[in-house]
């Protein structure tokens, strides 16, 4: 019975770890898809006004 509980706990922790890694990779992918040149456009407008 002790072995069964430890194995169940191990698989539960493993499932949570995989979920955390999947969430992180999903977040990282969304960050890559975001427009990265938003700050550059704003800086160019400031230089044109000067």
């Amino acid at each position: 019975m002790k072995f069964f509980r430890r194995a169940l706990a191990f698989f539960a922790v493993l499932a949570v770890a995989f979920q955390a890694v999947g969430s992180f990779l999903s977040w990282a992918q969304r960050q890559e898809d975001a427009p990265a040149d938003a700050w550059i456009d704003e800086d160019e407008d400031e230089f044109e006004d000067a």
Side-chain angles (χ1 to χ4, degrees):
M1 190 64 171
K2 192 176 190 180
F3 173 76
F4 179 71
R5 282 187 292 188
R6 287 187 179 179
L8 186 62
F10 173 76
F11 286 117
V13 169
L14 193 64
V16 170
F18 274 113
Q19 184 179 11
V21 170
S23 295
F24 174 75
L25 291 176
S26 174
W27 173 81
Q29 183 66 35
R30 283 185 306 217
Q31 297 303 313
E32 288 180 4
D33 293 342
D37 59 348
W39 293 100
I40 296 170
D41 293 340
E42 188 174 302
D43 290 341
E44 289 175 357
D45 292 340
E46 288 178 10
F47 286 125
E48 289 175 2
D49 294 339

